Amino acid sequence: MQLPEAQLAALEAASATEEKTIAQLAAETDERPATLTGAAFDLADHGLLAITERDEETLALTEEGETYHDEGLPELRLYRAAREAGATDDPVGMGEVIGASGLDGRTVDIALSNFARKGYGRIDSGKLFAEPDVDPEGDRETAALAAVATGDASEIDASVLDRLVERGLVARSQATERAVTLTDDGITALMEGVEVADSVGRLTPEMLTSGEWRDVEFREYNVEADADRTNGGRVHVLRETAERVKDVLVGMGFEEMDGPHADAEFWINDALFMPQDHPARTHWDQFALAEPAEIDDLPDELVERVREAHLEGVGEDGEGYHSPWTEEVARGMDLRGHTTSLSMRYLSGEAVGELSPPERCFSVEKVYRNDTLDATHLLEFFQIEGWVMAEDLSVRDLMGTFTEFYERFGITDIEFKPHYNPYTEPSFELFGTHPVTGELIEIGNSGLFRDEVLRPLGVECDVMAWGLALERLAMLTIGAEDIRDLHGTLVDIDFLRNAEVTY
Amino acid sequence: MVVVDADFDELRRLTGHDEKGDEELKSDLFALGLEYEGETEDGEAQLEFAPDRLDRLSVEGIARSLRYQYGEDRGVYVPRTNAPDWRYEVADSVPAERPYVTGAVARGVDLDEGVLDSLIQLQEKLHATMGRDRVKGAIGIHDLVMLKGGTAGSADNAISYRGVGPEEDTFVPLDSDAELTPGDVLAEHPTGRDYAPIVAEYERLPAIYDDLGLFSFPPVINGRRTELTVDSTDLLIELTGTDQWTIDRMCAILCYALAARGARIEEVTVSYPDRELTRPDLSVGTKRVTHERVETVLGVDFDPETVIDLAERSGLDAEVTERDDDAGSGPGSDGEVDPNADGTGVREGTGVVYEVSIPPYRQDVLGPLDVIDDLGRAYGFNDLEPRYPDVSTVGGRHERSRLERALRNTLVGLGFEDLLNFHLIAETANYDRMGLSSPDAAEDLDAEDVGKADDVNADHCLGALAPARIREPYSEDYEIVRTWALPSLMTVLGNNTHRAYPQDLAEIGLAAGRDERENTGLVEFRTVGAVLARTDASYEAAKTRLTALCRAFGVEAATPPTDHPSFIDGRAAEVVLDGTSAGVIGEIHPEVLVEHDLEVPVAAFEFRLGALR
């Protein structure tokens, strides 16, 4: 049999009849205790050694304990000083005794409280009286300190020891002591002869250059043992989902939009034909900015056309909203409540110049809603926004496009529930079946933009659009239950570290 | 979304379909877009729907829609009205802010508890929606028997809408026993206090009088004298508001609901100082819709008879007004042979224009698409076959989004965990807890403090930009848009001290700061923040990684020393990328660490994403 050197040393030092501690083995061999411990465990794994473990309590003086061991406990120093001052006969002023004892700072308080506790005397009206019958040499705590200092604590009364630990003079600590004995297999192995294995742990550059690697034996590892945990870097799981959405949309011919998060209400609401007195336009639903409060410039002609659409409607027998409309409200700055503000900027030509059909655009960007933060609602979330601009689009085209998109995420059998939005007609809420729970859930909102939206923007063809929350899609595809685990500073890093990769 | 309580038995009675079970009704209602949300304590169904069809805010209105769906009714129905007996006189003193009034008289109503509740619900829901919480329009319904007009020798009965001073007169309001002035009502009465803000700026308060005196204080509260009871049979309806069209539509919806309960609607004359109107306005509107548009939007070929049938099933009427035989076969046509085409090559319906009649309760029909939506619902949208549009476009990503993705991959390769934080943050977290001082509110800002946003270290350190502030934030955790990313990352570290170290985190995200030169007054930019939280975190460890990613992007990085309150003095440097100051790098100051409850050192850097371009 061949064994590594340390293991052989441990095996040879061990005895079948007498338990030997690691420390004893170390004394008998040239190996370090840590090496021997490892070797002993390896030998035990092979059944050659038996290991017994004992939890041992060790006691040691603390720094304060050392001081008192040298100088005497404060209460004893106080008692001796009191006796010398004659306080066994008549009470003596406290200041005088303390001065004579040489105590100061917190040791004074320690001395006084223990003085009374041990019955060394009384303190009354600032005077100190010492009991004459006390033998200062017989103090059990002093004796115990001395015993701990010499390492012989076996005789100390447990209650005295507890008291010293409580006083912070003695520290207890636990240590495991391991002892080994040879097993029968160990004896057999020794009798059959054990050689030092010429095995190596690590392949080194020197071995490679010298060719020594040809002559060595590589130590076997326990290849089934657990390895250290590492986390590495990862793309955020919600970003991963966003990337996947972007891939799908680019594949379907959509071009990505970009634009301001803080924008004028004009682009966020007015261009979308949201009446200015619409309940959703109060600050209860959207984040209005106090600073900056207003946009500098809006395109004058477009503002006029939008104003007209709100007041008069669009087309020969169009109808407006019968609500007041002022440019002042339109100039107000908000954090966008939807990325449809980007669509408005693109469709109007403001973002990248006039567009001509056909055109497909998308964005997967943050939007802001004044909502209550809970497991399914965030103040900020990502909205997937997409639209198709072409001549003569129908609701069937809309249904076909979204069916195609959601199928890429395993959501089939979409239902289109007729719905109402101020900016699209017809409008549909999209419902899909949860791939896991089988539940019917809302997965988006869609429709054909109204004439009242498109004509003021200068768009004469049809545009169909839809939007949905990325987080909702992510919860469907990655199974997150609390949206706050995903997004924001309340994130649990372990959740991100352990999230399953999506692709 | 709005919710209406409706009793299924009432629905069965009003539709004449006693045989319909609850489940069948629920599914019929879902088809109309009304979702069953549950039951009230009284066992009524709570039905939720989008706030377009406000005529469905009552059980009577829902029943009417069901009758069209069942084919019991077809086409436009307008209740008959009788000639006016009452006159609403509008005095010169009427508040300028609320000059409009309308109304109707309804006689012969059998008001049991259920009908009365439904009427009150309709009134409240109309207030909440079209009435914009009574600001734009408010409804008062009175027991006509308790009103007295026609004295002073006038030929007809009259009430008068006028403006009064807050202490000019008294009346006993609903839910009170005391004679109160309008001023008292606003100050003391619970309902008065609720609606006082609407009239807070009014010089004179709106008031309606009959011969016996003040009986209604719109939009706040009615008087007790004319309160409705189950014994009332004849009702006087008045609406005041800021827009005549709006209150006329609200009035029409009320009249339809009452007519469905057997009421005879009687007109009233509204006399403004300069003109006279007969109300309620139950005139039928019209919209012109082309056959071609119907087919394009729905993606289905129809013959005109079908379109007319769908319109009638929607409670509309459609009539062919024009037949332009040239349209559709001219040069604009794509020339494809249509399967539905007849022998002449011109499809039936081509060039047809419909005049569609819209009943007065439909305030939501603004243009042709609204009519087509109705036709689609009647046809059944879910019966349409989806098709992928035959439209070819080329897709692609925005340059900024490609750069972000590339950098994110590089950061991850360097071992950073990619984070995603909110853009909104507490002002103290963004500044104070990082050792920066909060900029003063905008009134104190001078040109020195804003407009330097593109040179991040010019006058002040990274992060010290003046922020975009939310107006009236609910939560002090989210009151400004962050000006840099490190505060978010430090907060995440502070929330995860129980998790295994090292924690190497990075984020590419939005930050923004005030900049007067921007049209929006705000410069928005993507910022790249990274923190190394580990026992051996050091300036060098941070710089190693910064240098690696700059090398990956072919950008020259220099790190001249700088001062920044978030970092340890002497261990902070400016990040200069290709000669432009773009950010900061260093070891986070112990004070900032302690502030975030951290017990490990943190090295960090942050710079503008744009600097890598």
Side-chain angles (χ1 to χ4, degrees), chain B residues 169-174 178-182 185 214-217 221-224:
Chain B
D169 204 347
T170 61
F171 71 115
V172 182
L174 290 176
E179 284 275 342
L180 300 176
T181 66
V185 169
L214 174 57
F215 70 93
S216 180
F217 174 23
I221 199 161
N222 291 346
R224 234 177 93 172

Side-chain angles (χ1 to χ4, degrees), chain B residues 34-64:
Chain B
L34 286 81
E35 249 176 286
Y36 176 80
E37 290 287 302
E39 265 191 11
T40 65
E41 282 175 14
D42 302 333
E44 296 196 330
Q46 293 179 296
L47 303 173
E48 188 189 59
F49 57 98
D52 55 338
R53 292 293 300 270
L54 300 180
D55 58 299
R56 291 173 178 164
L57 289 173
S58 65
V59 64
E60 295 84 3
I62 294 170
R64 180 177 50 245

Side-chain angles (χ1 to χ4, degrees), chain B residues 173-190:
Chain B
L174 290 176
D175 307 316
S176 172
D177 294 323
E179 284 275 342
L180 300 176
T181 66
D184 293 339
V185 169
L186 297 179
E188 294 163 23
H189 194 284

Side-chain angles (χ1 to χ4, degrees), chain B residues 121-402:
Chain B
Q121 169 172 256
L122 175 58
Q123 182 180 351
E124 282 172 3
K125 301 287 178 187
L126 282 173
H127 279 156
T129 50
M130 275 195 99
R132 305 291 192 231
D133 280 331
R134 304 196 192 184
V135 172
K136 204 173 180 184
I139 305 163
I141 306 178
H142 307 273
D143 189 338
L144 189 64
V145 177
M146 303 306 294
L147 287 165
K148 187 171 188 309
T151 50
S154 62
D156 50 10
N157 290 308
I159 58 171
S160 129
Y161 178 39
R162 60 180 85 156
V164 296
E167 309 302 330
E168 195 178 312
D169 204 347
T170 61
F171 71 115
V172 182
L174 290 176
D175 307 316
S176 172
D177 294 323
E179 284 275 342
L180 300 176
T181 66
D184 293 339
V185 169
L186 297 179
E188 294 163 23
H189 194 284
T191 312
R193 281 202 295 269
D194 285 350
Y195 292 98
I198 301 178
V199 295
E201 302 295 319
Y202 286 20
E203 234 171 81
R204 290 182 304 278
L205 297 173
I208 305 180
Y209 280 73
D210 68 351
D211 287 354
L212 300 178
L214 174 57
F215 70 93
S216 180
F217 174 23
V220 180
I221 199 161
N222 291 346
R224 234 177 93 172
R225 165 159 59 99
T226 59
E227 182 176 4
L228 290 190
T229 68
V230 287
D231 299 324
S232 310
T233 56
D234 295 352
L235 319 180
L236 179 134
I237 302 166
E238 44 84 4
L239 295 96
T240 62
T242 57
D243 176 66
Q244 184 76 48
W245 182 91
T246 303
I247 56 177
D248 281 338
R249 296 280 79 69
M250 291 167 75
C251 186
I253 290 171
L254 280 168
C255 288
Y256 268 83
L258 286 165
R261 294 294 187 175
R264 297 187 309 277
I265 305 300
E266 183 178 296
E267 291 174 339
V268 300
T269 306
V270 178
S271 299
Y272 286 104
D274 58 345
R275 66 195 188 284
E276 198 157 272
L277 305 173
T278 301
R279 287 297 183 261
D281 178 6
L282 300 184
S283 58
V284 174
T286 58
K287 298 288 173 203
R288 285 164 58 85
V289 183
T290 64
H291 184 84
E292 196 191 346
R293 190 103 196 256
V294 174
E295 291 191 333
T296 333
V297 170
L298 298 181
V300 179
D301 295 338
F302 292 109
D303 53 48
E305 289 68 35
T306 310
V307 173
I308 292 169
D309 175 60
L310 291 173
E312 288 177 357
R313 280 160 52 194
S314 310
L316 311 173
D317 277 324
E319 205 181 316
V320 176
T321 58
E322 254 177 61
R323 209 181 274 276
D324 176 359
D325 288 335
D326 292 336
S329 56
S333 165
D334 57 14
E336 274 178 41
V337 179
D338 193 283
N340 282 6
D342 59 24
T344 64
V346 177
R347 228 171 53 215
E348 202 188 346
T350 303
V352 163
V353 179
Y354 304 98
E355 186 171 272
V356 180
S357 304
I358 316 293
Y361 58 82
R362 290 294 301 276
Q363 94 300 339
D364 60 311
V365 179
L366 305 180
L369 279 175
D370 300 302
V371 172
I372 297 171
D373 182 53
D374 271 21
L375 303 179
R377 287 175 192 244
Y379 181 83
F381 278 121
N382 270 305
D383 290 339
L384 298 179
E385 188 67 33
R387 69 172 176 213
Y388 194 77
D390 185 14
V391 171
S392 175
T393 54
V394 178
R397 296 194 39 174
H398 194 272
E399 190 230 348
R400 198 260 308 147
S401 129
R402 280 183 284 127

Side-chain angles (χ1 to χ4, degrees), chain B residues 501-560:
Chain B
Y501 288 97
Q503 293 178 5
D504 298 347
L505 315 178
E507 177 176 11
I508 306 171
L510 182 98
R514 299 289 310 283
D515 188 336
E516 299 287 313
R517 293 167 306 179
E518 296 285 332
N519 188 26
T520 58
L522 198 64
V523 60
E524 297 180 6
F525 50 89
R526 306 284 157 154
T527 189
V528 184
V531 290
L532 300 164
R534 38 166 75 211
T535 49
D536 58 351
S538 67
Y539 177 83
E540 195 192 348
K543 185 166 174 181
T544 300
R545 287 160 175 83
L546 175 68
T547 313
L549 67 87
C550 288
R551 201 167 53 241
F553 282 83
V555 169
E556 193 79 35
T559 54

Side-chain angles (χ1 to χ4, degrees), chain A residues 46 52 103 123 188 281 288 292 298 322 335 354 368 418 442:
Chain A
H46 291 110
T52 55
L103 294 169
I123 295 154
T188 311
R281 290 187 66 166
L298 289 174
H322 305 275
L335 292 176
E354 289 297 321
Y368 307 82
E442 193 198 329

Side-chain angles (χ1 to χ4, degrees), chain A residues 320-398:
Chain A
Y321 268 132
H322 305 275
S323 293
W325 197 93
T326 69
E327 191 175 331
E328 191 189 344
V329 172
R331 298 182 92 89
M333 289 287 293
D334 271 10
L335 292 176
R336 64 188 181 202
H338 43 223
T339 40
T340 319
S341 57
L342 298 184
S343 302
M344 295 300 105
R345 281 176 168 272
Y346 274 72
L347 286 169
S348 70
E350 181 79 5
V352 290
E354 289 297 321
L355 301 178
S356 53
E359 202 64 71
R360 283 184 174 91
C361 282
F362 82 99
S363 65
V364 183
E365 288 288 331
K366 275 270 181 85
V367 298
Y368 307 82
R369 302 263 172 98
N370 215 352
D371 216 327
T372 314
L373 201 63
D374 63 29
T376 56
H377 291 91
L378 295 175
L379 303 185
E380 306 175 14
F381 57 91
F382 284 88
Q383 183 182 331
I384 304 170
E385 163 105 7
W387 51 262
V388 182
M389 174 200 223
E391 303 289 350
D392 298 341
L393 288 172
S394 75
V395 294
R396 290 178 57 198
D397 297 316
L398 175 151

